[in-house]
Amino acid sequence: MTQSLIELRNVKHYYNGRLVLNVPYLDIFSNKITILLGPNASGKSTLLRLINMLEQPGEGNIYFKDVDIIRLSREKRLELQRQMVMVFQRPVLLNATLFENVAFGLHLRGMDSKIIEKRVEEVLKFMKLDHLADRSATRLSGGEVQLAAIARGLAVNPELLILDEPMNNLDPRHVKLLEQTVLDISRERDMSIIIVTHQIPQVSRMADEVVLLEEGEVIESGPAEEIFNNPQKEFTREFIGGII
Ligand SMILES: Nc1ncnc2c1ncn2[C@@H]1O[C@H](COP(=O)(O)OP(=O)(O)OP(=O)(O)O)[C@@H](O)[C@H]1O
Ligand SMILES: [Mg+2]
């Protein structure tokens, strides 16, 4: 049975009095890959920031595993936030080695250093970054930074992994590698994944579910197959057809 991991109800979010997100109803499902689509400035990153509790919506409710994440105590919020990882559109690494960057979140979670070492080595290997472990993050290429940020997120084994345009800066070979990695993770671990992308072909290669935003509103959402084969809205047809 498909279970909702995140539920948005009557969510509205404003910047400087301007409504940028207006979502009466949206569910994101557990253990699925959800691809979030939409033109520039349609509210994708804003939606992700609300889900990740970096901001609180102006109005409405958001539930994570049935817990209302709005107006939580600081302690409770941190506890929930630790179950999610968001890799930003423009990730920033610490001025430290790649190894230390990937270990950072594990130290924050108070893990034993021997276990941390093992976990970091595993993740770097999995992401094919192990040869760069001792390299200073300031000396990584744009694409390597992108992959390192994902490795840092994976290391903490979150329940929800949010990737905001993770394929930016990657060449076609690395895009393919990352797609496969995400598919492997989703298959092997109980991890829910939300990905923002502008690459439509990725939807058919990766998505279980699709959410399409325009001007802060969900135009259409549902199983990827249905959205692709039987879109209900003209906008969806044009967006997927590459006209928009
Ligand atoms: N902190 C902020 N203050 C004011 N306006 C903001 C802020 N963050 C985002 N916005 C505005 O909210 C709207 C939605 O932005 P958002 O970053 O969510 O879009 P997006 O769909 O992620 O776009 P892109 O594909 O370009 O990343 C845009 O008009 C943007 O200018
Ligand atoms: Mg964005």
Side-chain angles (χ1 to χ4, degrees):
M1 203 188 83
T2 32
Q3 254 189 332
S4 294
L5 180 71
I6 297 157
E7 298 164 325
L8 281 85
R9 299 292 180 262
N10 302 313
V11 168
K12 291 189 180 178
H13 197 58
Y14 303 84
Y15 287 123
N16 311 318
R18 188 169 68 92
L19 183 62
V20 294
L21 205 62
N22 182 10
V23 180
Y25 188 100
L26 179 67
D27 283 5
I28 307 277
F29 299 108
S30 293
N31 303 330
K32 302 261 184 217
I33 298 180
T34 301
I35 289 198
L36 180 54
L37 295 173
N40 290 132
S42 55
K44 303 181 298 297
S45 296
T46 304
L47 174 61
L48 299 182
R49 282 196 300 275
L50 297 185
I51 290 172
N52 195 40
M53 296 182 247
L54 294 173
E55 286 181 57
Q56 294 220 331
E59 289 174 33
N61 296 85
I62 302 177
Y63 302 89
F64 179 74
K65 294 197 291 186
D66 294 328
V67 177
D68 188 342
I69 65 173
I70 295 162
R71 287 169 284 277
L72 288 176
S73 68
R74 194 183 120 79
E75 228 166 64
K76 188 75 189 156
R77 179 165 51 85
L78 281 175
E79 187 193 314
L80 289 188
Q81 267 177 329
R82 283 190 179 160
Q83 302 174 37
M84 321 179 188
V85 159
M86 177 150 157
V87 178
F88 293 98
Q89 204 164 345
R90 286 180 289 258
V92 179
L93 298 181
L94 302 170
N95 186 3
T97 65
L98 173 58
F99 188 98
E100 286 160 348
N101 268 280
V102 176
F104 182 70
L106 303 176
H107 284 299
L108 277 187
R109 283 161 174 81
M111 280 172 66
D112 178 77
S113 56
K114 274 272 163 279
I115 296 173
I116 292 179
E117 195 169 318
K118 194 161 164 275
R119 177 86 71 86
V120 173
E121 277 167 8
E122 273 169 17
V123 172
L124 288 178
K125 201 153 174 227
F126 183 67
M127 293 293 293
K128 302 196 169 48
L129 290 169
D130 38 338
H131 61 294
L132 297 172
D134 298 325
R135 177 88 58 91
S136 160
T138 56
R139 308 218 165 141
L140 296 173
S141 76
E144 286 165 350
V145 167
Q146 201 84 30
L147 294 170
I150 294 166
R152 182 175 60 183
L154 277 183
V156 306
N157 201 16
E159 211 160 310
L160 172 63
L161 178 67
I162 302 174
L163 303 173
D164 196 350
E165 301 195 34
M167 316 290 176
N168 284 357
N169 291 318
L170 298 185
D171 62 42
R173 189 171 68 88
H174 282 91
V175 167
K176 223 170 152 207
L177 182 91
L178 185 54
E179 282 182 7
Q180 194 52 53
T181 304
V182 171
L183 286 169
D184 289 347
I185 299 164
S186 146
R187 221 170 282 136
E188 289 165 19
R189 307 185 195 185
D190 290 332
M191 204 181 284
S192 311
I193 302 172
I194 306 176
I195 308 174
V196 174
T197 181
H198 289 288
Q199 307 300 317
I200 301 294
Q202 260 168 3
V203 179
S204 52
R205 291 199 294 264
M206 304 181 75
D208 298 308
E209 298 281 322
V210 172
V211 176
L212 175 60
L213 281 182
E214 193 213 10
E215 292 184 356
E217 299 195 6
V218 176
I219 300 296
E220 211 168 330
S221 71
E225 254 185 46
E226 280 178 30
I227 301 275
F228 252 83
N229 298 332
N230 192 19
Q232 299 299 304
K233 300 272 169 64
E234 188 58 30
F235 184 85
T236 313
R237 255 188 293 278
E238 291 184 351
F239 192 84
I240 284 175
I243 298 165
I244 295 168

